[in-house]
Amino acid sequence: MASTGSTKNPKKANLLDPHSIKHLLDESVSEVVTSRGYVEDVRLSNVRLLIGSIIIAIALLAQFYPKKFPENKDFLIGCIGLYIAFNGLLQFISYTKEKNAILFTYPPPGSFNSTGLVVSSKLPRFSDQYTLTIASADPKSISANKPVQFTKSVTKWFTKDGVLAEGLFWKDVERLIDDYNGEP
C-alpha cells in the first residue's frame, strides 16, 4: 500500500453491494481532498439539519398540541402546510445545490484561488463505472477552474476480496485534483 493510505485497517466493501462500494470510495475521496489542505464546508449540511429540526418541531407541535381534534383543526391545517413547505424547501436544496455532491470545501489556506471545491460522484445502478467530478464551488467566479472528471471501473481499485487498494485510488484522485488545479 502507498504511504498515503492507512495500512493498519484495510478498507473493505461488499463487492455485491454497489452502495457499499460507492460509500467507501466517497469516504476515501473526502480523505484525499482534505489531506490536500482543503477544509470541508459544512454550511449547507447545517442548513439542512436546521430545516430538518424545524420539520420535526412542527410535527411534534401538531402531535402534542393541548387541544383535541375538532378544536385544533385550524392549527393542524397550519402545521400540515408548514410541514409540506419546509419539506419542499429541503427537497429543493437537495435537488439544486447538492445534486451528487459528496463534499463541499473552502479554498485551501494561503492559495490564490478564492473558491472551494464541489466534489461529486456517480456509480450508476448495475454498472462498475465510477465517475468522480471536481468543480468550483462558485463556477461564476473569475478564479474558478474548469470542472474535471474521470470515469473508471471500480474493479481497478478493489481486490477480489473487496479490499480497497488505497494507494491506487489515492493516486487517481490526487491526479484529478492536480488536473483541476492545472498542476503537472
Side-chain angles (χ1 to χ4, degrees):
M1 294 225 164
S3 61
T4 52
S6 69
T7 54
K8 35 188 162 158
N9 239 347
K11 295 180 179 176
K12 194 171 184 179
N14 178 357
L15 295 179
L16 301 175
D17 179 12
H19 298 292
S20 170
I21 294 169
K22 184 179 184 311
H23 178 74
L24 184 62
L25 292 174
D26 291 350
E27 198 175 273
S28 296
V29 167
S30 294
E31 288 176 22
V32 175
V33 173
T34 53
S35 76
R36 295 287 296 261
Y38 290 91
V39 178
E40 186 174 1
D41 180 359
V42 294
R43 290 179 294 184
L44 188 60
S45 295
N46 290 344
V47 167
R48 289 183 58 230
L49 285 171
L50 176 68
I51 293 171
S53 298
I54 292 170
I55 291 169
I56 292 169
I58 292 168
L60 288 172
L61 270 173
Q63 179 70 29
F64 297 112
Y65 191 69
K67 294 184 180 177
K68 295 295 174 198
F69 172 62
E71 301 164 10
N72 69 352
K73 183 178 173 185
D74 294 335
F75 180 76
L76 284 177
I77 290 172
C79 285
I80 291 169
L82 285 173
Y83 185 86
I84 291 169
F86 278 105
N87 266 309
L89 178 63
L90 199 56
Q91 291 301 316
F92 178 76
I93 289 171
S94 292
Y95 184 74
T96 59
K97 294 287 184 193
E98 279 188 335
K99 298 177 185 162
N100 293 319
I102 55 173
L103 180 68
F104 293 90
T105 72
Y106 293 107
S111 78
F112 295 109
N113 200 343
S114 64
T115 70
L117 303 177
V118 175
V119 182
S120 56
S121 69
K122 286 185 204 169
L123 181 61
R125 196 171 179 189
F126 307 119
S127 173
D128 67 337
Q129 297 298 308
Y130 180 78
T131 301
L132 183 65
T133 305
I134 297 179
S136 172
D138 183 10
K140 295 177 183 166
S141 170
I142 195 164
S143 64
N145 295 335
K146 290 184 178 172
V148 293
Q149 75 175 27
F150 71 65
T151 301
K152 290 189 177 182
S153 171
V154 296
T155 59
K156 303 214 178 296
W157 304 309
F158 285 96
T159 66
K160 64 179 182 194
D161 299 324
V163 176
L164 176 64
E166 281 188 88
L168 293 174
F169 186 65
W170 275 57
K171 283 179 187 172
D172 285 343
V173 176
E174 286 177 334
R175 194 174 304 119
L176 190 64
I177 294 170
D178 291 341
D179 287 350
Y180 175 80
N181 290 324
E183 298 171 8

